[in-house]
Amino acid sequence: MKYILIPIYLLLTTSGLVLMKLGANPGTLSLKNGVISASMSSISALGFICYICSFLLFTRLVVMFDLSWIYPVTAGIVQVLTLLASYFVF
């Protein structure tokens, strides 16, 4: 069961990065009269949500698996998946 979390993490990380790039909107953050306002495109927001979820899932993976292999394996696979997704999407 715990090995199912690895592909979910990989999917969330890769889709988060691609969606943030697709949104191509760095967003705005401003403070006027003591009120903080922020805006970004919906695609970028979905990418941020995916990436935040992947971070939370990764912290769980670090607890569940030995760090000496989970980090290098997932980092390498994320790099390859991001490269492939970027090639086909962009």
Side-chain angles (χ1 to χ4, degrees), residues 63-76:
V63 171
M64 294 172 71
F65 295 99
D66 186 20
L67 184 62
S68 65
W69 76 267
I70 194 66
Y71 183 77
V73 169
T74 56

Side-chain angles (χ1 to χ4, degrees), residues 35-82:
V35 177
I36 298 175
S37 64
S39 68
M40 69 174 56
S41 71
S42 58
I43 295 174
S44 292
L46 182 61
F48 278 112
I49 291 169
C50 287
Y51 204 68
I52 289 168
C53 290
S54 75
F55 172 76
L56 295 173
L57 184 58
F58 186 71
T59 58
R60 181 69 182 143
L61 289 174
V62 167
V63 171
M64 294 172 71
F65 295 99
D66 186 20
L67 184 62
S68 65
W69 76 267
I70 194 66
Y71 183 77
V73 169
T74 56
I77 294 172
V78 164
Q79 295 296 320
V80 171
L81 290 177
T82 304

